[in-house]
Amino acid sequence: MLLARESVFRSSYFSEFFLFMVLFLMIILFCSFGSVDLFSFYLFFEGRLVPTLFLILGWGYQPERLQAGIYLILYTLFASLPLLVGVIGVYNSSGLLCFFFLSDPCLSRVFFYFCMVFAFLVRIPLFLVHLWLPKAHVEAPISGSMILAGVLLKLGGYGLIRVMVFLVNFSFNLNFFWISISLLGGFLVRLVCLRQTDLKSLVAYSSVAHIGIVVCGIMTVNYWGFCGSYVLMIAHGLCSSGLFCLVNIVYERTGSRSLLVNRGLMCLIPRMSIWWFLLRSCNMAAPPSLNLLGEVVLFRSLVSWSWLTILMLGGLSFFGAAYTLYIYSYSQHGSFYSGIYSCSIFYVREFLLVFLHWFPLNLLILFRDVVSFWL
Amino acid sequence: MADKQLDVKPAEKRAVEAYSKRRVALREEYIKQITNPHRHGTGEGGILFDSGIQRFMSMRATEYDHFKATPKTSLYGLGFVVIPIIAYGYMLKSSRDAQEHKYRTGQVAYKDRRFKFV
């Protein structure tokens, strides 16, 4: 994140405060992923909103960042208040909040199931409640986009995996609804990606599309579903963050995120095309990427849950590849925009940044059993 | 020779000449701007401002501000989003319940299950 936003330090635009926000957010995320009881997880789950909002409002580019910040806060807080009610309900039912001892179903009402699950579904985000994500990603600075795509969305998935353990008795009867929304939503969002002309907005919508399959995997309550979701969350975090870095590299040169302007980049910055190709191929789960492992495991989990999921999964894969190839081809091939002024080719800092995203993405698949079967 | 075209009406000819004159002027202005050595020399990058592209990008960015809920748009939302989700969810639930009923009532032996492992 610090490598990506070097311009803050170069221009001394409240660089110390920026560094503080990034480190504060990192510490909160460490605490949230490392917390062993439900209440502390809830505390840090909410706490990460403040530095994220500061990053978007303080270092974003356009006036629309105000609306994006409001969407982010209102969507997440509105969904998280029922989560607090659910946490209190869990404590009343079982007398404890520690994850290790909450293995048996302890909640007796469907109301608590929706309370616990909804906050994470908005966070992850599920289709229909995903509107905050493209706004927040587009208006956030590159550091904000990287941390949002790379880690913050995964908090929702992590939370779902944690709570699904003691919501099993409702999950078996009610999860079909979330699977239906995610599969159809993923399909529709991939169609939306095909008509995007803003690069950052496109990567944001592709995040929603990928996370839809993650939600489906968790909702099947299969071991393979959990493992596949875990792998795909890691893979998506690296891939999406890397794509945002690439978009920012181009944006720093042309000053525009529009696909109409950022085209034919292979003629201008050929050494960046290889990274576009590698990260885009990982995005569409081409071998040998970690996305492939996650998607294969998730497809198997979903098809074992119900054969009807094949209908949507085929459409998801096809249109996922379609928009990825369309974007790669449009941005890299063909003639470049005639109105571009001279700019630098590539910095080593940017090369390192993208390499550090790609390296685990294509190498971790060689350690498949270590990566995927942690749970 | 070119100004003695006999199959072109005078009004058409005037229009083509006016268009060509404007196009040449715009082209010269574009070449003058894009070859500005001071702008290239700083290496700051950026693009030459194009009002058409800016209008298009602003239009795409503010699409929702001009959205109006009408019966037609509501039907689009219902037909492409809500009804398919409900229908697909119903199909998933029915197929899943039928499959589970067969497994739990012993109509399918454990060894004959398509997916045995979780």
Side-chain angles (χ1 to χ4, degrees), chain A residues 117-138:
Chain A
V117 154
F118 192 60
F120 301 118
L121 290 176
V122 169
R123 190 67 218 151
I124 205 169
L126 183 72
F127 181 69
L128 298 180
V129 290
H130 68 284
L131 291 173
W132 65 270
L133 183 85
K135 285 190 183 292
H137 269 305
V138 167

Side-chain angles (χ1 to χ4, degrees), chain A residues 78-182:
Chain A
F78 179 72
S80 298
L81 189 59
L83 177 62
L84 181 61
V85 172
V87 168
I88 295 169
V90 167
Y91 185 72
N92 278 345
S93 313
S94 59
L96 44 85
L97 288 172
C98 183
F99 285 129
F100 299 116
F101 302 113
L102 284 171
S103 55
D104 297 324
C106 56
L107 294 170
S108 56
R109 293 186 190 170
V110 175
F111 167 74
F112 286 118
Y113 165 78
F114 283 106
C115 285
M116 300 295 293
V117 154
F118 192 60
F120 301 118
L121 290 176
V122 169
R123 190 67 218 151
I124 205 169
L126 183 72
F127 181 69
L128 298 180
V129 290
H130 68 284
L131 291 173
W132 65 270
L133 183 85
K135 285 190 183 292
H137 269 305
V138 167
E139 304 303 333
I142 177 59
S143 312
S145 294
M146 284 171 70
I147 200 70
L148 266 169
V151 186
L152 292 184
L153 301 192
K154 285 49 188 179
L155 265 180
Y158 172 77
L160 268 179
I161 291 176
R162 282 292 195 188
V163 303
M164 205 52 70
V165 175
F166 52 87
L167 294 175
V168 183
N169 49 350
F170 298 113
S171 304
F172 287 141
N173 294 326
L174 296 171
N175 279 1
F176 74 94
F177 184 57
W178 310 122
I179 292 175
S180 169
I181 293 178
S182 300

Side-chain angles (χ1 to χ4, degrees), chain B residues 14-89:
Chain B
R14 281 197 300 275
V16 166
E17 280 173 355
Y19 177 78
S20 172
K21 188 176 166 188
R22 188 159 181 271
R23 192 164 182 272
V24 164
L26 284 170
R27 185 171 179 272
E28 281 177 6
E29 179 62 26
Y30 162 75
I31 290 172
K32 181 182 163 190
Q33 293 287 341
I34 202 66
T35 54
N36 181 0
H38 304 288
R39 181 70 190 266
H40 283 281
T42 57
E44 66 176 284
I47 55 171
L48 179 60
F49 178 75
D50 184 325
S51 59
I53 288 187
Q54 181 60 52
R55 280 202 306 273
F56 179 76
M57 284 158 56
S58 304
M59 177 199 76
R60 293 302 298 269
T62 56
E63 265 175 344
Y64 186 65
D65 298 337
H66 302 285
F67 175 77
K68 205 163 59 170
T70 60
K72 184 178 170 188
T73 57
S74 304
L75 274 174
Y76 276 143
L78 277 174
F80 285 108
V81 179
V82 176
I83 293 174
I85 287 175
I86 295 173
Y88 193 56

Side-chain angles (χ1 to χ4, degrees), chain A residues 173 176 180-181 184 188 195 197 222-224 253-254 256 258 260-261 300 303-306 308-309 312 337-343, chain B residues 30 33-34 39-40 43-48 50 53 56-57 60 63 80-81 84-85 88-89 91-93 95-96 99 115 117-118:
Chain A
N173 294 326
F176 74 94
S180 169
I181 293 178
L184 257 152
L188 291 170
R195 65 175 295 273
T197 52
N222 284 338
Y223 179 64
W224 277 56
R253 280 147 181 82
T254 61
S256 172
S258 171
L260 302 172
V261 169
R300 187 240 181 254
V303 172
S304 73
W305 187 82
S306 170
L308 281 172
T309 53
M312 278 297 134
Y337 180 64
S338 54
I340 295 181
Y341 287 108
S342 298
C343 52
Chain B
Y30 162 75
Q33 293 287 341
I34 202 66
R39 181 70 190 266
H40 283 281
E44 66 176 284
I47 55 171
L48 179 60
D50 184 325
I53 288 187
F56 179 76
M57 284 158 56
R60 293 302 298 269
E63 265 175 344
F80 285 108
V81 179
I85 287 175
Y88 193 56
M91 283 162 60
L92 284 174
K93 178 85 172 135
S95 77
R96 177 91 181 141
Q99 182 183 317
F115 293 97
F117 303 112
V118 294

